């Protein structure tokens, strides 16, 4: 997640082939080719994971961490908000999405900076099933009964490991 207010990139989680990471790193650019790396992991932090999404909310100096793999066979639907005022994150676990929102990994998720809505599409379940669902929620009350399942056209197939982009009020 890029935070323009402090010229920094924030990284969370991932898998190095052996270990699943739970650290948050900040890279503050001092020029176009150099930066200062710092481990800024707070005491209260998201569970280590990979195959998750980090959603920037630069209008509010925060980012969200959604879902992902806790180990090779267990996915989560946890959602965390990390506020980064002052450059150091303060992370809070938000209430779980509804039961109908399946724990997933390798999905696409995007935050609309104008409305605060988060849109999540597809992914893979613990059973290995690829999903063909689209969900919308808002960041102000995420997980508090504001999740809405949206219709998906019948010609759209289930998928995971895909990319997506948010541009001008559209998901691509």
């Amino acid at each position: 997640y890029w935070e323009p207010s402090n010229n920094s990139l924030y990284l969370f989680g991932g898998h190095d082939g052996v270990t699943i990471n739970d650290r948050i790193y900040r890279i503050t650019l001092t020029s176009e080719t150099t930066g200062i790396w710092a481990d800024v992991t707070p005491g209260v932090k998201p569970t280590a994971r990979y195959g998750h999404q980090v959603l920037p909310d630069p209008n509010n100096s925060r980012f969200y961490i959604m879902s992902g793999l806790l180990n090779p066979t267990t996915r989560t639907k946890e959602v965390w908000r990390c506020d980064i005022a002052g450059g150091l994150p303060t992370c809070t676990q938000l209430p779980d999405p509804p039961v109908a929102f399946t724990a997933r990994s390798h999905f696409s998720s995007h935050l609309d900076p104008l409305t605060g809505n988060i849109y999540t599409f597809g992914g893979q379940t613990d059973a290995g099933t690829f999903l063909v669902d689209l969900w919308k929620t808002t960041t102000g009350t995420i997980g508090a009964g504001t999740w809405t399942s949206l219709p998906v056209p019948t010609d759209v197939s289930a998928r995971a490991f895909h990319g997506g982009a948010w541009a001008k009020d559209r998901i691509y």
Side-chain angles (χ1 to χ4, degrees):
Y1 158 66
W2 177 256
E3 175 54 42
S5 69
N6 62 13
N7 207 35
S8 295
L9 176 68
Y10 290 81
L11 304 175
F12 169 75
H15 195 300
D16 64 9
V18 177
T19 304
I20 302 169
N21 197 305
D22 68 352
R23 311 306 297 166
I24 298 175
Y25 292 95
R26 181 185 66 217
I27 303 101
T28 304
L29 297 182
T30 54
S31 73
E32 288 188 25
T33 59
T34 60
I36 300 168
W37 286 72
D39 184 337
V40 294
T41 307
V44 175
K45 63 185 185 264
T47 311
R49 67 189 69 200
Y50 62 104
H52 59 284
Q53 289 286 315
V54 175
L55 306 170
D57 185 359
N59 293 337
N60 295 297
S61 294
R62 61 185 174 200
F63 58 89
Y64 294 86
I65 298 169
M66 288 187 68
S67 298
L69 283 153
L70 302 178
N71 61 56
T73 60
T74 306
R75 286 153 181 83
T76 182
K77 58 182 177 180
E78 286 180 351
V79 179
W80 287 75
R81 182 185 64 234
C82 296
D83 296 291
I84 54 171
L88 297 176
T90 301
C91 298
T92 304
Q93 184 175 358
L94 301 175
D96 277 344
V99 172
F101 181 86
T102 306
R104 64 193 63 212
S105 65
H106 303 97
F107 57 99
S108 61
S109 203
H110 310 280
L111 185 138
D112 176 349
L114 298 177
T115 65
N117 292 333
I118 291 177
Y119 296 88
T120 301
F121 176 77
Q124 187 176 28
T125 69
D126 284 344
T129 305
F130 284 18
L131 297 166
V132 63
D133 58 352
L134 177 63
W135 288 85
K136 178 182 100 171
T137 192
T138 61
T139 58
T141 56
I142 193 166
T146 60
W147 291 74
T148 305
S149 177
L150 301 176
V152 177
T154 57
D155 63 336
V156 175
S157 62
R159 66 192 69 201
F161 304 93
H162 58 282
W166 180 266
K168 296 190 181 211
D169 304 329
R170 303 276 191 275
I171 301 171
Y172 295 94

